[in-house]
Amino acid sequence: SAAKKWALGPSFASAALPTLTLAQDDNPSWWTMTEGRSVSLHYGVPDSEDVGLILQCDRPRAGAPAAKLKIYFPVEQRVRGGATNVQMRAGTVTGNVPATATPEEMYGGSELTAYVPVTSPVIVEFARTGRIRFTAAGELVNPAVAPVAKVAALLKVCRGS
C-alpha cells in the first residue's frame, strides 16, 4: 500500500518547499475537541489542516442507546462509486466496516466516513491499548499510540455515561 501522506490540506502544496527544521508543533499528535454534544479525538498536526484521522461521537440523549463512533479520514485516491470498505486493526483484533466516500475536490482524493459500534472488538482493544490503524483505498492510516485516557473519555461520551 502507498505510504500515507498526512496533508490533503493547504500544506500539501507546500510539501516540496525546503524546510531547515521542523518546529516541535509540526509533529502529529492526538488532541480532543468538544463542540456542544459532540466530542472528537483528532490525530494530526495541531492548529493546521494536516489532520489524518478524526474519531467523533455525539452524546446520546437520555435513555437512548450508545452512539456509534464516527471515523473520518482522507485518502489520496478518488474512490469510485461513493463507497468502500475500511479494514480496522487494533493489536491482533481486526474488523471491517463500510464507509462512504465523498470526493475531495481541491486535491482529487476522497474523504471517508465510517460508523463503528463502541462495543466492536476492535474499538474495545483500541480503548485498552491506544493502538489502531485503518486501511482503505489502498492506503494505510497508522497513527501513533493514542493516550488511553483520551480514548476512554471519547467512548464514555459515545455511551452517554
Side-chain angles (χ1 to χ4, degrees), residues 32-56:
T32 303
M33 293 181 66
T34 303
E35 186 175 325
R37 293 178 40 243
S38 181
V39 175
S40 54
L41 185 58
H42 299 241
Y43 184 75
V45 178
D47 301 319
S48 79
E49 298 277 333
D50 294 346
V51 178
L53 177 63
I54 300 172
L55 308 173
Q56 178 197 343

Side-chain angles (χ1 to χ4, degrees), residues 79-151:
V79 175
R80 299 185 193 282
T84 191
N85 189 50
V86 175
Q87 298 171 326
M88 307 178 297
R89 182 179 194 97
T92 60
V93 182
T94 61
N96 294 309
V97 291
T100 58
T102 305
E104 203 294 313
E105 298 301 330
M106 187 176 289
Y107 300 101
S110 297
E111 297 172 347
L112 303 183
T113 305
Y115 292 89
V116 182
V118 294
T119 55
S120 160
V122 174
I123 301 305
V124 170
E125 183 68 5
F126 173 50
R128 189 180 76 75
T129 65
R131 295 183 183 279
I132 196 158
R133 68 183 192 184
F134 304 94
T135 305
E139 296 183 34
L140 172 67
V141 177
N142 190 15
V145 176
V148 292
K150 288 184 179 184
V151 177

Side-chain angles (χ1 to χ4, degrees), residues 20-35:
L20 295 176
T21 59
L22 283 178
Q24 184 66 27
D25 291 349
D26 288 341
N27 293 323
S29 62
W30 290 95
W31 74 92
T32 303
M33 293 181 66
T34 303
E35 186 175 325

Side-chain angles (χ1 to χ4, degrees), residues 54-71:
I54 300 172
L55 308 173
Q56 178 197 343
C57 269
D58 294 332
R59 183 178 303 278
R61 304 267 181 219
K68 288 189 174 183
L69 180 65
K70 178 182 179 182
I71 300 168

